PDB file of all heavy atoms in Angstrom:
ATOM      1  N   SER A  23       1.479  18.871   2.055  1.00 96.00           N
ATOM      2  CA  SER A  23       1.771  20.025   2.912  1.00 96.00           C
ATOM      3  C   SER A  23       1.984  21.238   2.025  1.00 96.00           C
ATOM      4  O   SER A  23       2.169  21.100   0.803  1.00 96.00           O
ATOM      5  CB  SER A  23       3.015  19.769   3.770  1.00 96.00           C
ATOM      6  OG  SER A  23       4.158  19.579   2.968  1.00 96.00           O
ATOM      7  N   GLN A  29      -2.038  36.010  -1.535  1.00 98.00           N
ATOM      8  CA  GLN A  29      -2.704  37.075  -2.273  1.00 98.00           C
ATOM      9  C   GLN A  29      -2.700  36.776  -3.764  1.00 98.00           C
ATOM     10  O   GLN A  29      -1.818  36.061  -4.262  1.00 98.00           O
ATOM     11  CB  GLN A  29      -2.008  38.399  -2.018  1.00 98.00           C
ATOM     12  CG  GLN A  29      -2.159  38.909  -0.595  1.00 98.00           C
ATOM     13  CD  GLN A  29      -1.596  40.305  -0.422  1.00 98.00           C
ATOM     14  OE1 GLN A  29      -0.823  40.792  -1.249  1.00 98.00           O
ATOM     15  NE2 GLN A  29      -1.989  40.963   0.649  1.00 98.00           N
ATOM     16  N   PRO A  30      -3.674  37.304  -4.487  1.00 98.00           N
ATOM     17  CA  PRO A  30      -3.674  37.144  -5.952  1.00 98.00           C
ATOM     18  C   PRO A  30      -2.345  37.613  -6.540  1.00 98.00           C
ATOM     19  O   PRO A  30      -1.803  38.651  -6.130  1.00 98.00           O
ATOM     20  CB  PRO A  30      -4.832  38.033  -6.396  1.00 98.00           C
ATOM     21  CG  PRO A  30      -5.761  38.033  -5.234  1.00 98.00           C
ATOM     22  CD  PRO A  30      -4.871  38.033  -4.021  1.00 98.00           C
ATOM     23  N   LEU A  36       3.321  23.370  -3.082  1.00 98.00           N
ATOM     24  CA  LEU A  36       2.779  22.232  -2.362  1.00 98.00           C
ATOM     25  C   LEU A  36       3.736  21.046  -2.476  1.00 98.00           C
ATOM     26  O   LEU A  36       4.414  20.877  -3.494  1.00 98.00           O
ATOM     27  CB  LEU A  36       1.422  21.826  -2.931  1.00 98.00           C
ATOM     28  CG  LEU A  36       0.360  22.916  -3.015  1.00 98.00           C
ATOM     29  CD1 LEU A  36      -0.946  22.327  -3.574  1.00 98.00           C
ATOM     30  CD2 LEU A  36       0.122  23.559  -1.682  1.00 98.00           C
ATOM     31  N   THR A  46       5.909   0.875  -6.740  1.00 83.00           N
ATOM     32  CA  THR A  46       4.841   0.445  -7.647  1.00 83.00           C
ATOM     33  C   THR A  46       4.067   1.613  -8.250  1.00 83.00           C
ATOM     34  O   THR A  46       3.208   1.409  -9.101  1.00 83.00           O
ATOM     35  CB  THR A  46       3.862  -0.466  -6.895  1.00 83.00           C
ATOM     36  OG1 THR A  46       3.270   0.272  -5.814  1.00 83.00           O
ATOM     37  CG2 THR A  46       4.572  -1.689  -6.334  1.00 83.00           C
ATOM     38  N   ALA A  65      -2.406  18.605 -12.453  1.00 98.00           N
ATOM     39  CA  ALA A  65      -1.162  18.235 -13.121  1.00 98.00           C
ATOM     40  C   ALA A  65      -0.783  16.817 -12.729  1.00 98.00           C
ATOM     41  O   ALA A  65      -1.088  16.381 -11.618  1.00 98.00           O
ATOM     42  CB  ALA A  65      -0.034  19.197 -12.749  1.00 98.00           C
ATOM     43  N   ARG A  82       1.556  28.537 -15.517  1.00 98.00           N
ATOM     44  CA  ARG A  82       1.566  29.110 -14.170  1.00 98.00           C
ATOM     45  C   ARG A  82       2.026  28.088 -13.115  1.00 98.00           C
ATOM     46  O   ARG A  82       2.677  28.456 -12.138  1.00 98.00           O
ATOM     47  CB  ARG A  82       0.183  29.619 -13.792  1.00 98.00           C
ATOM     48  CG  ARG A  82      -0.363  30.691 -14.701  1.00 98.00           C
ATOM     49  CD  ARG A  82      -1.636  31.312 -14.133  1.00 98.00           C
ATOM     50  NE  ARG A  82      -2.709  30.326 -13.997  1.00 98.00           N
ATOM     51  CZ  ARG A  82      -3.348  30.083 -12.859  1.00 98.00           C
ATOM     52  NH1 ARG A  82      -3.007  30.713 -11.745  1.00 98.00           N
ATOM     53  NH2 ARG A  82      -4.333  29.184 -12.830  1.00 98.00           N
ATOM     54  N   ASP A  88      11.127  14.661  -6.713  1.00 92.00           N
ATOM     55  CA  ASP A  88      12.441  14.368  -6.158  1.00 92.00           C
ATOM     56  C   ASP A  88      12.380  12.911  -5.712  1.00 92.00           C
ATOM     57  O   ASP A  88      11.856  12.598  -4.638  1.00 92.00           O
ATOM     58  CB  ASP A  88      12.754  15.291  -4.982  1.00 92.00           C
ATOM     59  CG  ASP A  88      14.163  15.096  -4.433  1.00 92.00           C
ATOM     60  OD1 ASP A  88      14.711  13.981  -4.599  1.00 92.00           O
ATOM     61  OD2 ASP A  88      14.691  16.035  -3.840  1.00 92.00           O
ATOM     62  N   GLY A 124      -5.516  16.053   1.572  1.00 97.00           N
ATOM     63  CA  GLY A 124      -5.743  17.356   0.989  1.00 97.00           C
ATOM     64  C   GLY A 124      -5.151  18.493   1.807  1.00 97.00           C
ATOM     65  O   GLY A 124      -4.964  18.380   3.018  1.00 97.00           O
TER      66      GLY A 124
END
Side-chain angles (χ1 to χ4, degrees):
S23 62
Q29 292 187 343
L36 306 181
T46 61
R82 300 189 298 125
D88 184 334

